[in-house]
Amino acid sequence: QGLVPLSESTKDVGCCTQEDLRVDGRGCDDYRCVEVETDVVSNTSGSARVKLGHTDILVGVKAEMGTPKLEKPNEGYLEFFVDCSASAAPEFEGRGGDDLGTEIANTLYRIFNNKSSIDLKSLCISPREHCWVLYVDVLLLECGGNLFDAISIAVKAALFNTRIPRVRVLEDEEGSKDIELSDDPYDCIQLSVENVPCIVTLCKIGYRHVVDATLQEEACSLASLLVSVTSKGVVTCVRKVGKGSLDPESIFEMLETGKRVGKVLHASLQSILHKEESLGPKRQKVGFLG
Amino acid sequence: MALEMRLPVARKPLSESLGRESKKHLVVPGDTITTDTGFMRGHGTYMGEEKLIASVAGSVERVNKLICVKALKTRYNGEVGDIVVGRITERRRSAEDELAMRGFLQEGDLISAEVQAVFSDGAVSLHTRSLKYGKLGQGVLVQVSPSLVKRQKTHFHDLPCGASVILGNNGFIWVYPTPEHKDDDAGGFIANLEPVSLADREVISRLRNCIVSLATQRMMLYDTSILYCYEASLPHQIKDILKPEIMEEIVMETRQRLLEQEG
């Protein structure tokens, strides 16, 4: 659909952002309806599914034991992998989705590459020897625009849902260490996701910028700004994508919008995750056939 | 700014909420429709081993002795006289073509046209030999399944709510502001690029969302159904129309009104 070049005379979306009215009636700051569900994949340490309009993302987190990195002996770490499934968009057939997958994974590495996003020290089991490695796998089920936002929401929800088994390191007289897993399967540690950032993508269309662009709106946008924002409104990283240029004043305005929108995004996500948690283990899981 | 996050809700099967008495006979490719050989076979069926077998997924329709299967989702099959809306992706490159047509129609333009002829492999040839066809200017394109566009006498409608639609048989629907006066001399090749007023754009956005709602709920699209849906949507904000529960409510009301009108 987006592969045919739009001629100048039929920019169906173009100037609609002038008066804060987009094609589907939303304002420039409005998101489409978001559905979040966690604990959807049974053999993971944590999982989440997020639907944002026609964009459908599934994230699974697996906690496995590994060796700490040499330069960070007291910390565990996260590994991201993004799979753009061929059923998400026709362009992803075969190896077509690999480039986008790598780009998204690299962006995730960047936004988590700071001291405060996740308390990596809590993932350490014994310094220089054992630590928890969280393998975060992202699966794109359907592509309907605004991938980065949806993926970052799903990653945060999956990390919130992640339960890591509690382990103890036992040392005997000879000095050899043994790792003991707790007998109780519900004895787990939960990660704090307070400072996990979410990405807000702002697409420049005409003279204004919009959040949560649909596929058609993305096709009309020549430049976008990806802003990674924490729940307190702190920007952890900014990335510009697209062939077009952005002038510094636009960038400043887009950053301000990103911070403002990001705080609301985090607040909504926190409240929905707590609401889901409060429903307890008896809640009706909708899953994939609902 | 508006942002709504919610937990997913399992969808109820549609037949429950409609209270249907007669169940539709649904088939998938390979299902036996009937072993009675007295029937004539229509679209979507074939004869095999003394049985009538379905070749597409859909519901069985029976008209006296003719049995056919109406498919849920189809690729567009062109028929002579169909109106289509489409985007020019490629064109024949010849010397005369370069001189003549490029001035009028370029790659990337959206046009409306009529099917002139259908070839044996399914390809169609189009013509814009009337002033009502040609390049489409400002408006919104909605893509739905071709099976949802009802065949009518005319596919160009000027709706009383203040906008016009072209219901392409190929599933491409074009919603645009009603032109103030018909420019007979200009023909269909000059695009009107004047800015569209906010009021007109609100009508167009609302219509677009209504068409998307009807298509999501698999209702047939024609001028009456779209208009009723528009009127049912008026109490809601334009952007709320696409919320699942509001979409269901609006389409239900449209269905009711259409049934009352028929009966």
Side-chain angles (χ1 to χ4, degrees), chain A residues 2 9 16-17 26 35 53 58 61 82 93 98 106 124 143 149-150 157 159 226 249 260 266 268 283:
Chain A
S9 63
C16 282
T17 52
R26 285 186 289 155
E35 265 182 26
L58 179 65
V61 178
V82 178
E93 205 186 316
D98 284 2
N106 287 340
C124 180
C143 183
D149 293 28
L159 288 170
L226 267 68
E249 209 173 284
R260 181 170 45 89
H266 279 288
S268 297
R283 82 172 149 97

Short mmCIF file of all heavy atoms in Angstrom, two decimals, chain A residues 2 9 16-17 26 35 53 58 61 82 93 98 106 124 143 149-150 157 159 226 249 260 266 268 283:
data_model
loop_
_atom_site.label_atom_id
_atom_site.label_comp_id
_atom_site.label_asym_id
_atom_site.label_seq_id
_atom_site.Cartn_x
_atom_site.Cartn_y
_atom_site.Cartn_z
N GLY A 2 1.85 1.31 0.86
CA GLY A 2 2.66 2.52 0.93
C GLY A 2 3.75 2.56 -0.10
O GLY A 2 4.58 3.43 -0.09
N SER A 9 -0.62 16.17 -6.24
CA SER A 9 -1.99 16.67 -6.21
C SER A 9 -2.93 15.87 -5.33
O SER A 9 -4.02 16.30 -5.06
CB SER A 9 -2.56 16.73 -7.63
OG SER A 9 -2.61 15.42 -8.16
N CYS A 16 -4.69 18.32 6.58
CA CYS A 16 -5.73 18.08 7.57
C CYS A 16 -5.26 18.39 8.98
O CYS A 16 -6.06 18.57 9.88
CB CYS A 16 -6.21 16.62 7.51
SG CYS A 16 -7.31 16.35 6.14
N THR A 17 -3.96 18.38 9.20
CA THR A 17 -3.51 18.63 10.56
C THR A 17 -3.56 20.10 10.89
O THR A 17 -3.36 20.49 12.02
CB THR A 17 -2.06 18.14 10.73
OG1 THR A 17 -1.27 18.71 9.69
CG2 THR A 17 -1.99 16.64 10.62
N ARG A 26 -9.39 12.34 14.88
CA ARG A 26 -8.58 12.57 16.08
C ARG A 26 -7.89 13.92 16.00
O ARG A 26 -7.71 14.48 14.92
CB ARG A 26 -7.49 11.50 16.19
CG ARG A 26 -7.97 10.16 16.63
CD ARG A 26 -6.80 9.23 16.84
NE ARG A 26 -6.16 8.82 15.62
CZ ARG A 26 -4.90 8.42 15.51
NH1 ARG A 26 -4.15 8.39 16.60
NH2 ARG A 26 -4.39 8.04 14.37
N GLU A 35 -5.23 -1.56 23.69
CA GLU A 35 -5.62 -2.71 24.52
C GLU A 35 -4.36 -3.37 25.03
O GLU A 35 -3.45 -3.64 24.24
CB GLU A 35 -6.39 -3.72 23.65
CG GLU A 35 -7.89 -3.55 23.74
CD GLU A 35 -8.64 -4.58 22.91
OE1 GLU A 35 -8.10 -5.68 22.67
OE2 GLU A 35 -9.75 -4.27 22.51
N GLY A 53 -4.84 0.31 17.61
CA GLY A 53 -5.45 0.37 16.28
C GLY A 53 -5.23 -0.97 15.60
O GLY A 53 -5.56 -2.03 16.14
N LEU A 58 3.39 -8.58 20.33
CA LEU A 58 3.48 -9.58 21.40
C LEU A 58 4.91 -9.58 21.92
O LEU A 58 5.84 -9.63 21.13
CB LEU A 58 3.11 -10.96 20.85
CG LEU A 58 3.17 -12.13 21.83
CD1 LEU A 58 2.12 -11.96 22.91
CD2 LEU A 58 2.93 -13.44 21.09
N VAL A 61 9.25 -12.33 27.73
CA VAL A 61 10.52 -12.15 28.43
C VAL A 61 10.90 -13.47 29.07
O VAL A 61 10.08 -14.09 29.77
CB VAL A 61 10.39 -11.07 29.54
CG1 VAL A 61 11.71 -10.93 30.28
CG2 VAL A 61 9.98 -9.74 28.95
N VAL A 82 13.88 -8.59 17.87
CA VAL A 82 12.60 -8.19 17.27
C VAL A 82 12.36 -9.00 16.00
O VAL A 82 13.21 -9.04 15.12
CB VAL A 82 12.59 -6.68 16.92
CG1 VAL A 82 11.28 -6.30 16.27
CG2 VAL A 82 12.83 -5.85 18.17
N GLU A 93 7.91 -10.36 3.96
CA GLU A 93 8.05 -11.74 3.50
C GLU A 93 9.51 -12.11 3.37
O GLU A 93 10.33 -11.29 2.95
CB GLU A 93 7.36 -11.88 2.15
CG GLU A 93 6.90 -13.28 1.85
CD GLU A 93 6.36 -13.39 0.43
OE1 GLU A 93 5.61 -12.48 0.03
OE2 GLU A 93 6.70 -14.36 -0.25
N ASP A 98 13.88 -8.13 8.26
CA ASP A 98 15.10 -8.15 9.08
C ASP A 98 15.64 -6.76 9.39
O ASP A 98 16.03 -6.46 10.51
CB ASP A 98 16.20 -8.95 8.38
CG ASP A 98 15.94 -10.44 8.48
OD1 ASP A 98 14.89 -10.82 9.05
OD2 ASP A 98 16.76 -11.24 8.00
N ASN A 106 17.85 -2.15 17.96
CA ASN A 106 18.90 -1.19 18.32
C ASN A 106 18.33 -0.01 19.09
O ASN A 106 18.94 0.51 20.02
CB ASN A 106 19.63 -0.70 17.06
CG ASN A 106 20.53 -1.77 16.48
OD1 ASN A 106 20.91 -2.70 17.18
ND2 ASN A 106 20.87 -1.65 15.21
N CYS A 124 21.84 -9.34 39.58
CA CYS A 124 23.10 -10.02 39.82
C CYS A 124 22.88 -11.11 40.87
O CYS A 124 22.23 -10.88 41.88
CB CYS A 124 24.13 -9.01 40.31
SG CYS A 124 25.71 -9.79 40.65
N CYS A 143 1.02 -4.86 11.38
CA CYS A 143 1.65 -3.56 11.31
C CYS A 143 0.61 -2.53 10.88
O CYS A 143 0.17 -2.57 9.74
CB CYS A 143 2.79 -3.63 10.31
SG CYS A 143 3.71 -2.13 10.20
N ASP A 149 6.06 3.12 19.42
CA ASP A 149 5.28 3.38 20.63
C ASP A 149 4.68 2.10 21.17
O ASP A 149 4.79 1.78 22.35
CB ASP A 149 4.13 4.36 20.31
CG ASP A 149 4.63 5.75 19.94
OD1 ASP A 149 5.75 5.85 19.43
OD2 ASP A 149 3.89 6.71 20.16
N ALA A 150 4.02 1.35 20.26
CA ALA A 150 3.33 0.14 20.69
C ALA A 150 4.32 -0.86 21.28
O ALA A 150 4.05 -1.51 22.29
CB ALA A 150 2.59 -0.48 19.51
N ALA A 157 5.10 -3.40 29.70
CA ALA A 157 4.07 -4.24 30.31
C ALA A 157 4.61 -5.65 30.57
O ALA A 157 4.35 -6.25 31.61
CB ALA A 157 2.84 -4.31 29.41
N LEU A 159 7.78 -6.49 31.07
CA LEU A 159 8.74 -6.45 32.17
C LEU A 159 8.01 -6.34 33.51
O LEU A 159 8.44 -6.91 34.52
CB LEU A 159 9.71 -5.27 31.99
CG LEU A 159 10.74 -5.46 30.88
CD1 LEU A 159 11.50 -4.17 30.61
CD2 LEU A 159 11.73 -6.58 31.22
N LEU A 226 11.63 10.31 17.27
CA LEU A 226 11.32 9.29 18.26
C LEU A 226 11.86 9.80 19.59
O LEU A 226 13.05 10.04 19.72
CB LEU A 226 12.04 7.98 17.94
CG LEU A 226 11.32 6.94 17.12
CD1 LEU A 226 11.10 7.41 15.72
CD2 LEU A 226 12.07 5.64 17.12
N GLU A 249 13.27 24.74 15.85
CA GLU A 249 12.07 25.13 16.60
C GLU A 249 11.05 23.99 16.60
O GLU A 249 10.41 23.71 17.61
CB GLU A 249 11.45 26.37 15.97
CG GLU A 249 10.70 27.20 16.99
CD GLU A 249 10.25 28.50 16.36
OE1 GLU A 249 11.13 29.37 16.21
OE2 GLU A 249 9.07 28.59 16.01
N ARG A 260 5.04 15.75 27.32
CA ARG A 260 3.68 15.87 27.86
C ARG A 260 2.87 14.60 27.61
O ARG A 260 2.24 14.05 28.50
CB ARG A 260 3.02 17.09 27.21
CG ARG A 260 1.63 17.39 27.68
CD ARG A 260 1.16 18.75 27.15
NE ARG A 260 1.46 18.97 25.73
CZ ARG A 260 0.67 18.65 24.73
NH1 ARG A 260 -0.47 18.06 24.99
NH2 ARG A 260 1.01 18.91 23.49
N HIS A 266 2.43 6.97 30.38
CA HIS A 266 2.91 6.18 31.51
C HIS A 266 1.84 6.05 32.59
O HIS A 266 1.63 4.97 33.15
CB HIS A 266 4.16 6.81 32.11
CG HIS A 266 5.41 6.49 31.36
ND1 HIS A 266 5.98 5.24 31.39
CD2 HIS A 266 6.18 7.23 30.55
CE1 HIS A 266 7.05 5.24 30.62
NE2 HIS A 266 7.21 6.44 30.10
N SER A 268 -1.42 6.22 32.30
CA SER A 268 -2.49 5.30 31.86
C SER A 268 -2.03 3.86 31.94
O SER A 268 -2.76 2.98 32.38
CB SER A 268 -2.89 5.57 30.41
OG SER A 268 -3.43 6.83 30.27
N ARG A 283 -8.79 -13.78 36.83
CA ARG A 283 -9.32 -12.96 35.75
C ARG A 283 -9.45 -13.79 34.47
O ARG A 283 -8.68 -14.70 34.22
CB ARG A 283 -8.47 -11.72 35.50
CG ARG A 283 -7.26 -11.97 34.66
CD ARG A 283 -6.56 -10.69 34.28
NE ARG A 283 -5.15 -10.94 34.14
CZ ARG A 283 -4.55 -11.17 32.98
NH1 ARG A 283 -5.23 -11.15 31.87
NH2 ARG A 283 -3.26 -11.41 32.93
#
